């Protein structure tokens, strides 16, 4: 795909790129459908419950049934809602979530867009989803939805700052924002992976990423005990599904980004295992990160909003800044 982008645009090249985009979309939507299923099964297993087991063999069609239900449900729009913005908000939330997947390198050649500012592209686009969430809450003309949207904006902005700063150390060590180059710089075994020299940045990144995803224990924007359902309380049918899709697509994207930045991407953990295809290593690391996200949801209680904001500004932001200085000192001494 990167080679196609460097060639003159023809109808044949455009058709290939469109087909590739459709394939990626189907892969991501397939992941979303069964990530929901496996999350319910994993949480059920951890909490000594059964989980989905009725629809299809082993309950494998439960998520498909849920998606069909959402698509077939009546689409309601509140009478006093800002109709145009109410309709537009789920789209603004979902499209950036899908677009950021384009810069994640699955292997050395399996990458949709190999650009030199891949990290910046991811950060810039992922921030747009915040606008969609705020719009959805405000356009609903519902006080609970508005509170959920405002709370989500405060949370995502507060944690996006340490998230971005935590990546700076990796960019400094690699000398590039290109995710392909970052993965290539981690070749040679797990002791070369960035999570070891960047352990502070890695810890900050993981916590901030979980908060960015609005997942437990940081799922305050959807705190049903306080806000009914948060910013999407007035949404139904496929518009509600768009918000849920965006959340799980970001799970896909953040797991892929974590794998590329800190866990060596497609690189084998030991040099003598290089004969195993890179996509296998990527998927193993990717699956482990997704499992940890499910694990946290099954075990940790929701934090209070003051604890949430205090952690972001008083702990993660200073640690992310310290990580930059430590990295700079390390590079100066090593050189």
């Amino acid at each position: 795909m990167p080679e196609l982008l460097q060639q003159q645009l023809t109808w044949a090249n455009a058709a290939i790129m469109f087909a590739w985009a459709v394939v990626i979309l189907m892969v991501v939507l397939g992941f979303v459908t069964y990530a929901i299923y496996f999350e319910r099964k994993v949480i059920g297993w951890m909490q000594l419950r059964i989980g989905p087991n009725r629809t299809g063999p082993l309950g494998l069609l439960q998520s498909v049934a849920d998606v069909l239900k959402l698509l077939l449900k009546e689409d309601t729009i509140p009478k006093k809602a800002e109709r145009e913005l109410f309709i537009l908000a789920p789209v603004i939330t979902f499209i950036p979530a899908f677009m950021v997947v384009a810069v994640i390198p699955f292997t050395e050649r399996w990458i949709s867009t190999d650009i030199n500012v891949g990290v910046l592209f991811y950060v810039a686009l992922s921030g747009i989803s915040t606008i969609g969430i705020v719009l959805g809450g405000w356009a609903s003309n519902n006080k609970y939805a508005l509170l959920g949207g405002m709370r989500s904006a405060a949370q995502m902005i507060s944690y996006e700052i340490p998230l971005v700063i935590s990546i700076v150390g990796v960019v400094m060590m690699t000398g590039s924002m290109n995710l392909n180059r970052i993965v290539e710089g981690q070749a040679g075994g797990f002791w070369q992976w960035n999570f070891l020299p960047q352990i502070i940045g890695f810890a900050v990144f993981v916590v901030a990423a979980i908060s960015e995803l609005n997942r437990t224990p940081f799922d305050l924007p959807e705190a049903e005990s306080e806000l009914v359902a948060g910013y999407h309380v007035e949404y139904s049918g496929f518009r509600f599904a768009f918000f849920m899709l965006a959340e799980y697509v970001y799970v896909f994207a953040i797991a892929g980004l974590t794998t590329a930045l800190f866990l060596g991407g497609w690189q084998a953990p030991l040099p003598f295992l290089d004969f195993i295809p890179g996509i296998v290593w990527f998927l193993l690391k990717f699956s482990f990160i997704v499992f940890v996200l499910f694990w946290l949801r099954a075990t940790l209680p929701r934090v209070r909003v003051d604890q949430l904001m205090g952690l972001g500004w008083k702990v993660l932001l200073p640690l992310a800044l310290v990580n930059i200085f430590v990295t700079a000192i390390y590079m100066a001494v090593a050189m």
Side-chain angles (χ1 to χ4, degrees):
M1 282 304 296
E3 292 84 355
L4 280 178
L5 296 175
Q6 298 170 7
Q7 298 175 10
Q8 183 178 0
L9 185 63
T10 63
W11 284 108
N13 288 347
I16 293 172
M17 287 189 284
F18 178 77
W20 178 252
V22 171
V23 169
I24 294 294
L25 177 62
M26 291 299 105
V27 169
V28 172
L29 292 180
F31 165 82
V32 169
T33 301
Y34 282 97
I36 298 169
Y37 167 80
F38 282 111
E39 180 171 27
R40 294 167 72 178
K41 293 296 279 189
V42 167
I43 293 175
W45 170 64
M46 290 184 172
Q47 297 178 349
L48 298 180
R49 296 184 288 107
I50 296 173
N53 69 337
R54 297 291 182 183
T55 312
L58 303 176
L60 284 169
L61 297 179
Q62 183 61 57
S63 293
V64 177
D66 292 340
V67 170
L68 288 175
K69 178 192 71 174
L70 288 171
L71 291 176
L72 296 174
K73 283 183 70 173
E74 181 182 3
D75 176 36
T76 59
I77 299 178
K79 185 177 180 181
K80 294 187 177 181
E82 291 286 342
R83 186 179 180 87
E84 292 78 11
L85 295 179
F86 185 87
I87 294 171
L88 191 61
V91 180
I92 294 175
T93 304
F94 174 75
I95 290 179
F98 176 67
M99 290 179 66
V100 297
V101 176
V103 295
I104 295 176
F106 301 101
T107 69
E108 192 171 2
R109 297 188 60 81
W110 287 19
I111 179 173
S112 301
T113 309
D114 186 17
I115 57 177
N116 289 330
V117 288
V119 173
L120 186 62
F121 179 89
Y122 183 100
V123 171
L125 278 182
S126 62
I128 297 175
S129 292
T130 308
I131 300 173
I133 290 174
V134 174
L135 274 182
W138 181 80
S140 298
N141 196 28
N142 179 301
K143 299 300 184 290
Y144 287 111
L146 178 60
L147 286 171
M150 292 173 63
R151 180 184 281 186
S152 182
Q155 175 177 330
M156 295 178 79
I157 292 170
S158 298
Y159 278 82
E160 194 161 342
I161 295 171
L163 179 79
V164 174
I165 296 176
S166 67
I167 302 174
V168 172
V170 173
V171 174
M172 290 169 64
M173 291 183 64
T174 310
S176 174
M177 286 191 181
N178 185 307
L179 286 169
N180 237 351
R181 304 291 88 75
I182 290 174
V183 175
E184 289 171 357
Q186 301 175 73
F190 71 89
W191 52 88
Q192 300 290 342
W193 296 355
N194 287 330
F195 83 94
L196 288 173
Q198 287 291 306
I199 190 64
I200 299 175
F202 178 61
V204 172
F205 180 88
V206 168
V207 176
I210 295 170
S211 182
E212 276 283 288
L213 294 171
N214 291 337
R215 291 184 63 85
T216 306
F218 305 123
D219 57 337
L220 273 298
E222 303 164 14
E224 67 282 350
S225 59
E226 309 158 29
L227 296 174
V228 186
Y231 57 89
H232 50 57
V233 65
E234 295 290 355
Y235 283 87
S236 63
F238 71 95
R239 300 191 203 282
F240 173 81
F242 262 61
F243 281 118
M244 293 297 98
L245 280 172
E247 178 179 327
Y248 278 91
V249 172
Y250 270 125
V251 168
F252 182 99
I254 208 70
L257 185 66
T258 307
T259 301
L261 286 175
F262 294 100
L263 300 181
W266 64 81
Q267 307 286 359
L270 297 169
F272 69 85
L273 295 173
D274 281 342
F275 67 93
I276 298 175
I279 188 64
V280 174
W281 293 118
F282 184 93
L283 290 177
L284 285 173
K285 299 168 189 176
F286 174 92
S287 301
F288 173 74
I289 294 166
V290 173
F291 172 77
V292 169
L293 291 174
F294 297 166
W295 185 3
L296 292 176
R297 182 171 182 179
T299 55
L300 294 180
R302 181 181 294 138
V303 300
R304 294 198 317 265
V305 67
D306 60 312
Q307 295 172 331
L308 171 82
M309 301 304 287
L311 177 66
W313 291 106
K314 297 178 182 178
V315 179
L316 295 186
L317 181 58
L319 281 177
L321 293 172
V322 166
N323 181 63
I324 293 178
F325 287 107
V326 171
T327 303
I329 293 170
Y330 168 78
M331 292 178 66
V333 172
M335 291 175 64

